[in-house]
């Protein structure tokens, strides 16, 4: 939570209208305002923006896409993956469900039913056929981007 709270603050700075999504326009404004020493071109900004989106047809970046892109640039050690899984698996079932993710997102104040369902369906489905739960090894592979 400590690592993501700073990311959430940055997301909110860019999400100036408070919709829970970042438009290309807002993204451009934020990058232009913060790139004095190394200015980016319009095309470079659009390439970065498009790289953060889950689907090419999306017109905005949602919180889960933003955090996934930021965290994918960080080294995630095995101990932290286990801690994250255990925090989601509050009933110690040995797997997590969509309900577990919903509870965690509500607790941390980032719950959006659309984002949650989209994240579960679009990400988890790539790693296994069944979508009702995710065991630790599947969760581990998902975070390590290992199919």
């Amino acid at each position: 939570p400590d690592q993501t709270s700073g990311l959430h603050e940055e997301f909110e700075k860019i999400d100036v209208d408070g919709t829970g999504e970042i438009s290309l326009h807002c993204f451009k404004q934020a990058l232009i305002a913060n790139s004095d020493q190394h200015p980016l071109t319009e095309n470079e900004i659009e390439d970065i923006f498009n790289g953060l989106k889950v689907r090419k047809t999306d017109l905005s970046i949602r919180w889960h896409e933003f955090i996934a892109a930021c965290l994918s640039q960080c080294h995630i050690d095995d101990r932290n993956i286990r801690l994250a899984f255990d925090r989601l698996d509050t009933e110690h079932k040995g797997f997590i469900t969509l309900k577990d993710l919903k509870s965690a997102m509500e607790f941390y104040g980032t719950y959006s039913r659309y984002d949650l369902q989209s994240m579960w369906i679009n990400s988890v489905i790539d790693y296994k056929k069944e979508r009702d739960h995710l065991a630790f090894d599947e969760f581990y592979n998902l975070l390590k981007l290992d199919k």
Side-chain angles (χ1 to χ4, degrees):
D2 294 337
Q3 298 91 342
T4 61
S5 65
L7 292 175
H8 201 266
E9 289 171 13
E10 291 304 314
F11 182 86
E12 288 176 337
K13 285 179 191 175
I14 302 170
D15 177 23
V16 293
D17 53 1
T19 62
E21 298 180 356
I22 299 172
S23 67
L24 177 58
H25 175 73
C26 290
F27 190 73
K28 279 182 185 180
Q29 286 182 326
L31 287 185
I32 289 170
N34 293 298
S35 64
D36 295 335
Q37 294 179 353
H38 304 285
L40 298 168
T41 67
E42 291 268 329
N43 286 341
E44 289 171 326
I45 293 172
E46 288 177 18
D47 287 344
I48 294 167
F49 181 82
N50 290 329
L52 294 173
K53 297 186 305 181
V54 170
R55 289 191 205 94
K56 291 181 183 181
T57 57
D58 286 345
L59 300 176
S60 60
I61 300 167
R62 292 176 189 80
W63 164 243
H64 73 272
E65 295 166 326
F66 182 80
I67 194 169
C70 292
L71 292 179
S72 71
Q73 300 301 311
C74 301
H75 172 70
I76 304 172
D77 67 28
D78 295 350
R79 185 179 64 83
N80 285 333
I81 293 174
R82 173 50 80 179
L83 288 171
F85 182 84
D86 290 345
R87 184 161 288 173
L88 292 170
D89 182 19
T90 57
E91 297 172 4
H92 309 291
K93 303 176 300 286
F95 58 87
I96 57 174
T97 64
L98 187 59
K99 180 183 173 191
D100 296 323
L101 285 177
K102 178 181 181 267
S103 296
M105 290 176 80
E106 285 174 337
F107 179 79
Y108 291 110
T110 58
Y111 177 68
S112 158
R113 185 177 184 163
Y114 174 79
D115 283 350
L116 179 61
Q117 290 173 336
S118 174
M119 179 174 54
W120 185 267
I121 291 167
N122 294 324
S123 300
V124 176
I125 197 169
D126 288 341
Y127 292 85
K128 63 180 288 180
K129 290 178 177 39
E130 296 175 30
R131 289 184 267 161
D132 61 342
H133 70 276
L134 195 64
F136 175 74
D137 60 331
E138 296 155 337
F139 180 77
Y140 179 92
N141 291 338
L142 180 67
L143 291 182
K144 288 289 194 170
L145 302 176
D146 231 358
K147 285 190 181 180

